Amino acid sequence: MGQSQDRIVTLREPYDETSDNGFILGNKYIPEELLAEFLCHVDNKTLLNCQLVCKRWKILIHSYVWRKKAEMTLNRPHILDTDMPWKAYYMIAKKKPFEKNLMKNHSGEHGVQKYWKIFTNGGDHWKVENPPLGVPPLPKNVPVFEGKEYCFVTSYNNCFKMQLIDLEAEGLSSYVLDVLQPTIVVSEWYSCRWDCPAHYECTVELLRNDNKVMKTFQFHDDIEGDKQNQWLNVSHEFKDYGLGLKKISFYHGGMDKSFWAGHYGSKMAGACVIVKIPENDEHRCEEGDIDTNTDADTDTYKSSNTD
């Protein structure tokens, strides 16, 4: 009734680690080392597509190229764990999460509410000043300000707000945070007018995915007398914070202590959360190695007049 057709069955050849497959381009053999160096200078999006060329390219890119690109991004070779998943290297190369301020709108340049959640807005409410009134200019030698003169200012009743940082969205994978445990530095500058004392508070929490608090730093200061009319800085380092870190909440605020109408309360600017590059001598962290003692963390406090 019908005519049978011959079928041609093509068997897929098994991967051969000893072959030159993938290294012959234009009938020319390219050594693996040279190809790897070429690929290190390909942009991230194109490199993702290069992984699809063949299995040998995929192995080379996963095992070497992404790590090399991440280290080139950090400008510090041979510091990353060779066992780290390639996606962690990719996120470092793409997002550049180390040694930069993860706080957005840290001084109010984009208004009071952008990137911040307001919890209390007492008195005459939060306000942004540019330049700050009744205090000296912001310190000139602090990079976070970029020469700008914005600051948040509170009023005669409690003003508090919070910003939440999603560390994975910023390019920090679970492997980086759980195993490498990079130091996290948080800081902020604060002040009050020469003619009105004020109160300032800052709370930073390290959170798991379920918002369970892993570690907390709390600071408060009554800015009175000699502390007035100058910019003060508070900072804290989180170390050995344990497994499961996903988010950081930065909560700050205050009020004036004379209950004057207007905006005579504490001022704050340059809120910073910086994840430091893991050092060569930092050890891989295992679950039993975590030190939950907060004594491992360090605080500093200084004024803008301190050398």
Side-chain angles (χ1 to χ4, degrees):
M1 293 178 61
Q3 295 181 346
S4 62
Q5 295 181 344
D6 294 335
R7 290 186 176 181
I8 300 176
V9 179
T10 302
L11 297 177
R12 185 174 181 179
E13 294 185 8
Y15 173 65
D16 182 1
E17 292 184 358
T18 63
S19 75
D20 292 332
N21 181 34
F23 296 151
I24 304 297
L25 299 178
N27 295 323
K28 300 291 185 180
Y29 173 77
I30 299 180
E32 182 177 10
E33 296 81 2
L34 185 58
L35 177 61
E37 291 304 314
F38 286 155
L39 292 173
C40 285
H41 296 279
V42 172
D43 66 86
N44 296 330
K45 184 176 181 180
T46 301
L47 191 58
L48 288 173
N49 292 328
C50 288
Q51 296 177 164
L52 307 177
V53 170
C54 65
K55 189 168 184 178
R56 185 173 289 278
W57 277 40
K58 180 179 179 180
I59 292 174
L60 178 62
I61 293 170
H62 282 191
S63 63
Y64 175 79
V65 176
W66 282 121
R67 177 168 62 88
K68 183 69 173 179
K69 282 185 69 69
E71 291 178 344
M72 290 168 61
T73 299
L74 302 177
N75 197 27
R76 292 173 64 177
H78 311 303
I79 65 166
L80 295 177
D81 194 330
T82 56
D83 295 330
M84 195 156 64
W86 75 267
K87 289 184 179 179
Y89 297 129
Y90 164 68
M91 292 304 295
I92 292 173
K94 179 182 179 181
K95 294 286 190 175
K96 303 177 177 63
F98 296 111
E99 305 291 347
K100 74 174 185 180
N101 189 8
L102 301 182
M103 294 290 292
K104 298 177 174 62
N105 192 26
H106 51 73
S107 301
E109 181 179 359
H110 304 293
V112 170
Q113 297 191 47
K114 190 167 185 179
Y115 301 112
W116 293 90
K117 179 179 180 181
I118 295 178
F119 283 91
T120 56
N121 209 12
D124 286 324
H125 313 308
W126 280 98
K127 183 182 177 181
V128 173
E129 291 181 342
N130 179 28
L133 302 177
V135 295
L138 290 165
K140 300 295 185 183
N141 60 342
V142 179
V144 68
F145 297 130
E146 299 178 332
K148 300 174 183 177
E149 289 286 332
Y150 291 89
C151 78
F152 296 108
V153 59
T154 60
S155 189
Y156 61 85
N157 213 328
N158 281 329
C159 294
F160 287 96
K161 55 187 173 67
M162 184 269 287
Q163 185 170 149
L164 187 66
I165 300 172
D166 183 334
L167 295 173
E168 187 171 6
E170 294 293 340
L172 293 160
S173 68
S174 297
Y175 187 97
V176 170
L177 295 170
D178 289 348
V179 177
L180 302 185
Q181 296 273 294
T183 298
I184 300 172
V185 181
V186 299
S187 64
E188 186 167 53
W189 291 86
Y190 66 98
S191 185
C192 78
R193 294 173 56 101
W194 63 273
D195 55 354
C196 184
H199 179 77
Y200 165 80
E201 292 185 25
C202 177
T203 299
V204 182
E205 294 179 334
L206 305 189
L207 306 173
R208 300 185 193 276
N209 204 41
D210 59 1
N211 291 326
K212 181 179 179 180
V213 178
M214 300 172 62
K215 280 199 172 186
T216 301
F217 167 67
Q218 291 181 314
F219 177 83
H220 59 85
D221 194 6
D222 289 320
I223 316 168
E224 301 173 327
D226 293 341
K227 289 184 178 180
Q228 292 177 229
N229 197 35
Q230 62 176 310
W231 285 99
L232 307 169
N233 179 263
V234 59
S235 68
H236 176 79
E237 289 188 354
F238 288 103
K239 297 181 179 181
D240 300 327
Y241 34 81
L243 305 175
L245 176 61
K246 295 294 184 182
K247 295 175 281 189
I248 299 176
S249 69
F250 193 108
Y251 178 89
H252 69 181
M255 60 181 290
D256 82 58
K257 299 189 69 176
S258 296
F259 300 97
W260 291 354
H263 295 88
Y264 292 84
S266 51
K267 306 173 191 288
M268 54 219 70
C272 281
V273 172
I274 296 176
V275 180
K276 307 295 287 184
I277 297 175
E279 298 296 333
N280 285 327
D281 58 354
E282 288 186 351
H283 301 291
R284 292 168 59 94
C285 176
E286 304 295 341
E287 188 168 4
D289 296 336
I290 300 298
D291 179 10
T292 57
N293 189 337
T294 56
D295 291 343
D297 303 335
T298 58
D299 308 332
T300 61
Y301 164 84
K302 66 179 181 179
S303 76
S304 58
N305 297 332
T306 302
D307 293 333

